[in-house]
Amino acid sequence: MPDFQAILESIYQDAKQASDKGIVATYIPELAHIDKNNFAIHLRTSNGKCYGVGDFNKLFSIQSISKVLALSKAISLIGESVWDRIDVEPSGHPFNQLALLEINNGIPRNPFINSGAIVIADILVSNLENPKEDFLNYVRELSGDASINFNIDVAHSEQSTGFKNFAAANLLKSYKNLNNPVDKVLDFYFYQCSIEMSCSQLSSVFYLFANNGKCLQNKLHLTGSQVKRVNALMLTCGFYDEAGEFAFEVGLPGKSGVGGGIVALLPDHFVISTWSPGLNVKGNSKLGMLALEQFTTKTKLSIF
Ligand code: GLN
């Protein structure tokens, strides 16, 4: 077994000294003031051990990372019919790009670009009794951590500036790929994205994807084949137009968010979460990607 704590420490030392820490997302005003010197890594192994460096208990906005959890809830509610309304192909374009949605007649390329996640939000709004509350409870149940919550200021901040998401939802509506009213679906979507977690909570919540669908409390949420699909989508679509680069450099399924978080995993081995708020030009955490590249290189643990 590699000395995980020593490896994380050495990655942390390098990250602290990095001269270019990327740029914090400003298009959601509430995220613009986050200090880009925050840095954390947390590792949870399948044999129950945890390792961490930096601010791994500090909360941050998980943003698009929530799309994996929303997808997994939608799959557990309506199964394969999710794929009648969303494709499973990488987009090769930014997360908020709309051109492909028109070219593909209102069928989003995958569930992790914004238009795809908005269709998933529509599915959850249709199938959950109290969508926001039920979704939050699902996330809490996956980790056994009832302290996980929305950040209402972040949700409202995006509500007042998320013009492109309104455009996406309206486009979906025009193609009859949105059953509920635009405002209702986006209200849910903005709350979903506003969930805050620490790296250590993120590693717990995502444990089921490294553990054949069984969460930390040993409850089965997804079948083995459903987990295989979600992980395949994280590998091919988890980093927008940088999914190829992430597979190339890191070699793990994973998901990023504009809050600067990344979660990645090796089935049957571990979940690893990083947080560094500065983003690269593709909207993925700059130092988070570098840290994960170093981790899989130093430990020689990747799916390849
Ligand atoms: N809530 C953000 C948005 O819709 C999520 C984007 C992201 O994390 N990449 O723009």
Side-chain angles (χ1 to χ4, degrees):
M1 257 305 160
D3 184 344
F4 287 125
Q5 190 63 33
I7 290 171
L8 295 189
E9 296 287 353
S10 82
I11 297 171
Y12 184 36
Q13 291 314 319
D14 286 354
K16 274 203 286 200
Q17 270 141 40
S19 53
D20 182 359
K21 295 191 158 88
I23 296 170
V24 174
T26 52
Y27 78 100
I28 300 174
E30 203 56 34
L31 297 183
H33 58 78
I34 308 291
D35 182 358
K36 68 175 167 190
N37 290 311
N38 284 294
F39 184 87
I41 311 177
H42 183 272
L43 172 73
R44 171 180 280 283
T45 64
S46 295
N47 59 12
K49 298 228 166 61
C50 287
Y51 307 85
V53 289
D55 312 303
F56 63 85
N57 283 319
K58 197 163 166 183
L59 300 181
F60 62 90
S61 191
I62 69 163
Q63 290 298 321
S64 280
I65 296 173
S66 67
K67 292 169 180 172
V68 182
L69 305 170
L71 172 66
S72 101
K73 184 69 194 173
I75 289 175
S76 67
L77 287 166
I78 68 162
E80 293 295 302
S81 41
V82 166
W83 311 118
D84 297 343
R85 297 174 59 185
I86 307 172
D87 208 346
V88 294
E89 294 298 335
S91 73
H93 287 278
F95 60 87
N96 55 5
Q97 208 241 26
L98 296 180
L100 280 178
L101 188 57
E102 275 231 278
I103 292 168
N104 296 318
N105 295 316
I107 301 292
R109 291 286 283 190
N110 66 65
F112 299 153
I113 51 171
N114 285 10
S115 55
I118 291 168
V119 171
I120 295 289
D122 187 51
I123 291 170
L124 295 182
V125 167
S126 295
N127 288 279
L128 295 174
E129 209 163 310
N130 302 299
K132 289 185 206 167
E133 202 184 315
D134 295 354
F135 181 69
L136 187 59
N137 283 335
Y138 172 67
V139 175
R140 288 173 170 174
E141 194 190 345
L142 292 181
S143 55
D145 187 337
S147 73
I148 294 174
N149 220 328
F150 301 119
N151 179 325
I152 292 167
D153 291 339
V154 171
H156 289 170
S157 179
E158 200 176 358
Q159 214 138 25
S160 56
T161 54
F163 305 112
K164 248 189 142 171
N165 285 322
F166 281 95
N170 278 294
L171 211 47
L172 289 164
K173 193 88 184 156
S174 78
Y175 284 105
K176 306 206 178 329
N177 201 2
L178 206 72
N179 297 328
N180 296 284
V182 164
D183 286 339
K184 196 171 174 190
V185 176
L186 286 183
D187 179 57
F188 174 83
Y189 172 76
F190 295 139
Y191 268 75
Q192 169 204 310
C193 289
S194 84
I195 289 179
E196 291 187 322
M197 282 185 213
S198 64
C199 280
S200 108
Q201 288 172 323
L202 200 51
S203 300
S204 302
V205 172
F206 269 67
Y207 186 69
L208 81 159
F209 302 112
N211 192 38
N212 268 292
K214 264 192 197 168
C215 74
L216 215 48
Q217 327 314 316
N218 223 24
K219 180 176 167 189
L220 190 70
H221 291 270
L222 294 176
T223 66
S225 111
Q226 288 170 332
V227 168
K228 183 182 82 176
R229 290 175 169 209
V230 175
N231 285 341
L233 284 163
M234 281 198 258
L235 183 75
T236 53
C237 311
F239 297 83
Y240 317 111
D241 44 342
E242 214 172 20
E245 180 75 13
F246 191 83
F248 187 81
E249 300 286 349
V250 179
L252 295 173
K255 186 73 200 82
S256 66
V258 290
I262 299 180
V263 59
L265 60 101
L266 182 61
D268 301 322
H269 283 82
F270 62 79
V271 182
I272 186 164
S273 307
T274 63
W275 177 45
S276 172
L279 308 180
N280 64 19
V281 282
K282 307 279 179 147
N284 297 311
S285 170
K286 188 171 176 79
L287 295 186
M289 274 186 75
L290 279 175
L292 290 167
E293 184 276 320
Q294 284 188 39
F295 180 80
T296 55
T297 303
K298 288 180 184 198
T299 59
K300 300 190 177 63
L301 292 171
S302 88
I303 60 167
F304 304 111

